[in-house]
Amino acid sequence: MDLADATQQVEDFLTQTEGARILSERDRDYKDNIQWTEEERQTIEKRGQAAITVNRIKPKVEGLKGLLIQRKTDPKAWPRTQKHEKAAEVITDALRYVAENNNFDDVKLDVAENVFVEGYGAAMTHVVNKPDGPSIEITQIPWDRYYYDVHSRRLDFEDKRFDGIVVWIDKDQVMETFDLSEDEVEHLIMNDDHGDETFDDRPQWVDRKEQRIRVCQHFYIEKSKWMMCFFTSARFLIEPMESPYVDEYGIPINPIDSVAANIDRDNNRFGEVRYWIDLQDEINHRRSKYLYLLSARQTTSRKGAVGDIPAMKRELSKPDGHIEYEGEKGDFDVLRTNDMAQAQFTLLQDSKAELDAVGFNAQLS
């Protein structure tokens, strides 16, 4: 694989998943209580309504994570035959040591939240050399730092032909890690110029102001073997080589494990939050409309009976407002809108019940 092929695989991911990633970012915003666009908020406020947010998505996501915690199990190796029982016990102890040493339950929850919200998550199992010897580490890959083969169709990504991680590295760390001179790194900073909002540093390929460079750790299959390389858009930092991670048979493997929640007919991956967006919008809009109808009144009057209509509207919005008008009784009247308010309230209750029906309700949470 040459540099053009490697960068093309990343660019294919960025191009073909752009729409899906925008929706996933919106789903994250909804979970984080950002549920109105600025344009919607301005429109609502021009009408005299308040942009109310009743976030029922976050508790549902936390409920799913809570269910995962309740169902957690400790790693265990099972013997194939009776004579392997002692070996299975040793392997079980080793697995549990690695899990505890990596706070594996926390890593699993972080990946799970990406799966529930954005639609997919990933983690990497790798070896770190420490003063007291090699250590196995399991690290969550943030959703906005992981890319994958867009032709993969399986939820567990086992049919992927490539994937990788985007990392931002400081100038001095690039020099140390990849044994580059300061001039070489300066050349990278001045000549790399590609961007995407999801990977932004958020990622342009370079951040000239902060002297940071976007680097891809890329895994791909070539001649039925997993290969690895590090590159920027301008050059390889580590030339393509066989993956240093191997299985029990010494065969190079990909150390990244990834999983998705759902996949549609166009190969776009999405999370559980996607099912709740429309109902969440309805709840917010109906709550806003309902509160507005409770505080607003419609009026009717004979022409000229009310001298200052805006002042009259302001008085009507006050709990103790007073209206004066010229003429006889009946020349001015307040129209009842209870039917509209009741209709909004009924539909608001219905949308809440519908949202509870497609996910965690309060009792189960």
Side-chain angles (χ1 to χ4, degrees), residues 12 118 133 187 194 224 242 254-255 265 283 289 318:
D12 285 346
E118 286 89 2
H187 178 75
H194 297 276
S224 301
E242 288 189 5
N254 184 340
R265 63 192 298 270
I283 289 171
K289 186 69 172 179
K318 300 176 183 178

Side-chain angles (χ1 to χ4, degrees), residues 34-275:
I34 305 172
Q35 300 184 359
W36 297 86
T37 66
E38 189 57 35
E39 182 180 355
E40 288 174 334
R41 189 178 293 278
Q42 291 176 1
T43 301
I44 287 288
E45 290 175 353
K46 283 180 181 178
R47 295 175 185 165
Q49 298 175 227
I52 303 297
T53 300
V54 183
N55 192 346
R56 295 173 71 90
I57 285 180
K58 186 178 189 302
K60 287 184 174 295
V61 173
E62 297 302 323
L64 288 171
K65 291 166 63 179
L67 184 62
L68 189 63
I69 292 172
Q70 284 186 331
R71 294 183 175 180
K72 71 178 182 179
T73 56
D74 292 326
K76 183 175 178 62
W78 297 93
R80 291 183 178 178
T81 64
Q82 190 172 1
K83 69 178 182 179
H84 292 122
E85 287 184 356
K86 290 291 186 182
E89 291 177 4
V90 173
I91 294 174
T92 296
D93 291 340
L95 290 173
R96 291 182 178 178
Y97 169 78
V98 171
E100 292 174 3
N101 195 45
N102 284 278
N103 296 317
F104 182 65
D105 289 334
D106 293 337
V107 174
K108 185 165 62 174
L109 278 180
D110 290 338
V111 174
E113 180 168 326
N114 284 152
V115 174
F116 297 148
V117 179
E118 286 89 2
Y120 56 90
M124 181 175 179
T125 305
H126 54 117
V127 177
V128 177
N129 290 319
K130 295 185 176 181
D132 57 349
S135 174
I136 298 175
E137 295 195 358
I138 305 171
T139 307
Q140 181 232 3
I141 303 172
W143 172 83
D144 57 1
R145 292 295 178 264
Y146 176 65
Y147 62 87
Y148 59 85
D149 181 1
V150 294
H151 299 294
S152 171
R153 289 287 301 171
R154 292 180 52 166
L155 292 176
D156 60 5
F157 292 89
E158 285 300 308
D159 56 342
K160 65 188 176 185
R161 300 283 299 175
F162 71 86
D163 66 357
I165 309 169
V166 171
V167 292
W168 280 87
I169 306 179
D170 291 328
K171 173 183 173 180
D172 56 348
Q173 189 179 356
V174 173
M175 294 170 58
E176 179 183 347
T177 303
F178 300 104
D179 194 23
L180 298 178
S181 67
E182 185 171 359
D183 288 342
E184 288 175 311
V185 175
E186 286 290 345
H187 178 75
L188 290 179
I189 293 173
M190 294 305 298
N191 288 280
D192 288 359
D193 189 20
H194 297 276
D196 179 85
E197 289 187 2
T198 297
F199 288 154
D200 216 354
D201 190 31
R202 269 208 57 161
Q204 309 101 20
W205 279 90
V206 296
D207 184 340
R208 294 190 176 95
K209 181 179 179 181
E210 299 297 331
Q211 299 286 284
R212 287 163 62 83
I213 302 173
R214 189 174 79 171
V215 177
C216 289
Q217 182 178 7
H218 193 61
F219 295 91
Y220 64 96
I221 292 179
E222 185 174 85
K223 296 181 180 179
S224 301
K225 282 187 178 181
W226 277 104
M227 308 288 287
M228 184 192 77
C229 62
F230 286 80
F231 67 89
T232 70
S233 63
R235 59 169 288 178
F236 282 116
L237 299 178
I238 293 182
E239 294 287 336
M241 63 185 212
E242 288 189 5
S243 171
Y245 305 95
V246 297
D247 62 14
E248 63 269 34
Y249 304 108
I251 299 174
I253 61 172
N254 184 340
I256 298 175
D257 290 300
S258 46
V259 64
N262 306 284
I263 185 168
D264 65 19
R265 63 192 298 270
D266 294 323
N267 236 24
N268 296 316
R269 299 171 190 267
F270 61 95
E272 297 303 304
V273 169
R274 190 69 51 84
Y275 295 114

Side-chain angles (χ1 to χ4, degrees), residues 325-336:
Y325 64 93
E326 297 179 0
E328 301 176 357
K329 183 178 181 180
D331 287 346
F332 174 83
D333 195 14
V334 177
L335 303 178
R336 297 184 179 276

